[in-house]
Amino acid sequence: MNSVNTDQAVETSQDDLREQVAHLHGRLHLTDVRVQRLRAESLGDPPFDVNSIQIHSGPCEVLLEPPRFAARVNQTVTLRDLDEQTLAEVEIVLIIDYALDEGPDLPEDVVSAYVEHNTYFTAHPYLRETLQNATLRLGLEPVILGVLDRNQPRPHEVMLVRRAPARSDEASQ
């Protein structure tokens, strides 16, 4: 009977997966990022006293029809008051399209790992801009998604940019 170090076997498997994901990344070419759905709703008249901002990201959906590789990213942001009543909600669905170079068939775990670690990173600046613009258009103070860290799948920070009231002595000048 041969002894196998399972920790090493798992590490080798993870290394192999990382290599396959890197290979997939080299075969993809970003061709389009577009908003498929944007729903923004204010449930009252601003200004609001926003107490919390909650983000819900749905699972990414993937369409793999070579030479097309597409991912759909869904994110809903809810603004709540002190009593946890919903004040406003913004839902954004993005489609991220890639052209896929010819090559071997893609195992499901490689596609999953790529989407989990790369797709949101690609979508993030578009989600941030769309959310900020939607909240401004609703007459709210803009909501800004925080900066991503390559080692984190989602931002850890979301902030509401409070507009400073104009000082009365500046307004009269």
Side-chain angles (χ1 to χ4, degrees):
M1 173 185 243
N2 291 336
S3 167
V4 176
N5 181 342
T6 56
D7 292 339
Q8 188 176 17
V10 169
E11 187 62 37
T12 302
S13 173
Q14 287 299 319
D15 286 345
D16 187 46
L17 181 61
R18 275 193 286 274
E19 187 177 308
Q20 289 181 49
V21 167
H23 181 70
L24 171 57
H25 186 71
R27 291 176 56 195
L28 292 174
H29 308 281
L30 185 63
T31 58
D32 192 18
V33 178
R34 67 186 179 284
V35 175
Q36 184 181 48
R37 179 176 43 235
L38 173 60
R39 185 185 59 79
E41 182 177 14
S42 172
L43 301 176
D45 291 327
F48 293 136
D49 188 16
V50 175
N51 181 61
S52 67
I53 303 169
Q54 292 148 348
I55 297 179
H56 173 73
S57 296
C60 290
E61 298 173 72
V62 176
L63 172 69
L64 182 55
E65 295 177 346
R68 183 177 182 211
F69 182 105
R72 181 172 26 204
V73 178
N74 184 338
Q75 186 167 55
T76 302
V77 178
T78 305
L79 287 74
R80 298 187 187 276
D81 65 12
L82 196 56
D83 297 326
E84 290 301 307
Q85 296 297 311
T86 299
L87 300 169
E89 189 171 79
V90 178
E91 178 189 18
I92 306 163
V93 177
L94 291 180
I95 302 294
I96 301 169
D97 267 315
Y98 302 91
L100 175 65
D101 291 343
E102 286 189 31
D105 287 343
L106 299 170
E108 190 174 313
D109 61 336
V110 173
V111 171
S112 254
Y114 183 84
V115 168
E116 178 63 28
H117 297 287
N118 292 288
T119 300
Y120 189 85
F121 205 82
T122 301
H124 183 72
Y126 300 93
L127 292 168
R128 179 191 296 140
E129 188 278 331
T130 304
L131 177 61
Q132 182 178 358
N133 188 27
T135 51
L136 281 168
R137 289 184 176 271
L138 287 174
L140 308 173
E141 295 172 311
V143 174
I144 310 290
L145 293 176
V147 176
L148 285 182
D149 178 338
R150 212 21 148 159
N151 298 317
Q152 303 295 329
R154 303 287 187 264
H156 285 286
E157 180 178 270
V158 179
M159 49 186 248
L160 181 68
V161 178
R162 302 269 181 204
R163 295 182 177 138
R167 293 183 11 203
S168 59
D169 61 329
E170 287 178 355
S172 63
Q173 294 178 355

